Amino acid sequence: MSMITERSVAGRAPGVPEEAADAAVPETRRDVVTLFRAYLALCKPQIVELLLVTTVPAMMVAAGGWPDLRTLAVVLIGGAMAGGAASALNCYIDRDIDQVMRRTKRRPLPANTVTPRSVLVFGLTLAVISVALMAVFTNWLATALTAGAIFYYDVVYTLWLKRRTPANTFWGGICGSAPVIIGWAAVTGTVAPLGWALFAVVFFWQMPHFYALAIKYKDDYARAGVPMLPVVRSVGRVNFEILLYTVLTVASSLVAWPLGLGWIYGVAAVLTGAAFLAEAVLLARRTSAGQPAKPMRLFHWSITYLTILFIAVAVDALI
């Protein structure tokens, strides 16, 4: 008897044919893979990735180069877990509206891939571990900011603001910007003016970024009863806020320049800021004229803008 056949026979239950036992193995593996993908999706890895893109450069500037590797590893792991925890708990809280939105109905909870209780336990467990990591290996300020960001996102934003006011994106931007100052605080134990300037960049950036997404999925949000700005305000008001916060984003990036960054960052801030503003103006012109809006152009460019800008922050810190 071959080794493979011996393992198959040894692993099957009494009375189960060898062929059936062998067929069950791939099915079990598929179940494990499905669950893994479901829990990964609950963490919204794209959002976590974007948060870490802003955190590491902020840490580098705070350290004047590469930060202590242990601190860097702890903040990356703890930050990823904190972001995953906040996202999983957000999915648990929003499971009712996710069922009626086309953009979200394939998420693990609406698709019944996992149970609400398991998602709640998963999210709370990640939250506790992430805060514990920060508490043991960083300092009280970074730990408090991490815990506060999770609480703010899930309780203040998701449970309260998101369903009650069109200003939800503005106030929700606080927790989305927190990773910048968390990383800075983990390195220095405080937050310098440059850290707050970079925080402001990410804070103001979130309005044009998410308003563009809300324009695309306006009907989805309306169906779910979520008062996103494009759902409850005129096209003119939405365009005004997109342009206003794009200008404030670029202005904040320029304010950060003389606070401790060099010419590489400055050139990147000017060029990418001009392109970001041009995309915002183009979207406003299209929607004002009743033309097809194509808001995802601004959405995707906003991600490119933030990524290039913070790469420039990191390069500047090294040089």
Side-chain angles (χ1 to χ4, degrees):
M1 182 180 291
S2 69
M3 184 178 296
I4 295 176
T5 307
E6 286 173 354
R7 288 178 178 173
S8 301
V9 172
R12 73 175 188 266
V16 177
E18 182 175 332
E19 293 79 5
D22 288 341
V25 174
E27 187 65 37
T28 302
R29 289 174 181 169
R30 281 197 296 271
D31 290 343
V32 171
V33 171
T34 299
L35 279 177
F36 174 80
R37 288 176 176 172
Y39 282 106
L40 183 63
L42 288 167
C43 294
K44 300 180 183 177
Q46 298 91 341
I47 296 177
V48 172
E49 179 183 356
L50 190 60
L51 295 177
L52 296 180
V53 162
T54 62
T55 305
V56 175
M59 294 179 71
M60 294 173 68
V61 174
W66 283 109
D68 174 72
L69 291 181
R70 188 185 76 165
T71 303
L72 179 62
V74 168
V75 173
L76 285 176
I77 296 170
M81 294 182 74
S87 295
L89 293 172
N90 169 268
C91 288
Y92 171 79
I93 296 167
D94 277 351
R95 63 191 185 279
D96 58 333
I97 63 176
D98 282 351
Q99 291 177 345
V100 299
M101 293 179 64
R102 285 176 295 179
R103 185 173 69 89
T104 58
K105 66 181 181 180
R106 293 185 180 180
R107 286 178 177 173
L109 276 171
N112 295 315
T113 308
V114 291
T115 65
R117 183 178 182 277
S118 64
V119 173
L120 178 61
V121 171
F122 175 68
L124 291 175
T125 301
L126 280 182
V128 170
I129 294 173
S130 65
V131 173
L133 276 174
M134 299 297 286
V136 172
F137 296 106
T138 61
N139 54 65
W140 72 267
L141 181 57
T143 303
L145 288 170
T146 300
I150 297 172
F151 178 84
Y152 189 98
Y153 181 70
D154 289 313
V155 177
V156 178
Y157 169 71
T158 305
L159 270 176
W160 178 34
L161 295 171
K162 182 175 181 177
R163 305 184 187 217
R164 286 172 173 79
T165 171
N168 52 20
T169 305
F170 179 88
W171 294 111
I174 293 173
C175 47
S177 314
V180 174
I181 55 175
I182 290 172
W184 195 292
V187 172
T188 66
T190 185
V191 183
L194 177 55
W196 287 112
L198 294 176
F199 171 91
V201 171
V202 183
F203 175 77
F204 291 125
W205 167 87
Q206 289 177 91
M207 267 58 77
H209 175 71
F210 285 111
Y211 287 160
L213 188 70
I215 292 172
K216 170 71 174 178
Y217 294 103
K218 176 181 175 180
D219 294 340
D220 252 5
Y221 284 114
R223 190 181 304 111
V226 179
M228 297 296 286
L229 192 73
V231 175
V232 299
R233 297 290 185 267
S234 67
V235 171
R237 172 64 180 274
V238 175
N239 287 339
F240 171 77
E241 293 210 14
I242 287 176
L243 291 171
L244 171 64
Y245 289 116
T246 302
V247 169
L248 289 174
T249 301
V250 177
S252 298
S253 73
L254 297 177
V255 167
W257 186 1
L259 293 178
L261 295 168
W263 68 270
I264 294 176
Y265 170 84
V267 171
V270 170
L271 294 180
T272 58
F276 189 21
L277 185 57
E279 282 293 336
V281 170
L282 178 62
L283 176 61
R285 285 179 175 174
R286 283 180 175 276
T287 52
S288 297
Q291 299 174 354
K294 298 182 180 179
M296 297 307 284
R297 277 187 52 150
L298 178 61
F299 177 82
H300 291 301
W301 172 249
S302 67
I303 296 174
T304 303
Y305 164 80
L306 198 69
T307 302
I308 293 174
L309 189 71
F310 274 83
I311 288 174
V313 171
V315 172
D316 215 274
L318 290 175
I319 294 178

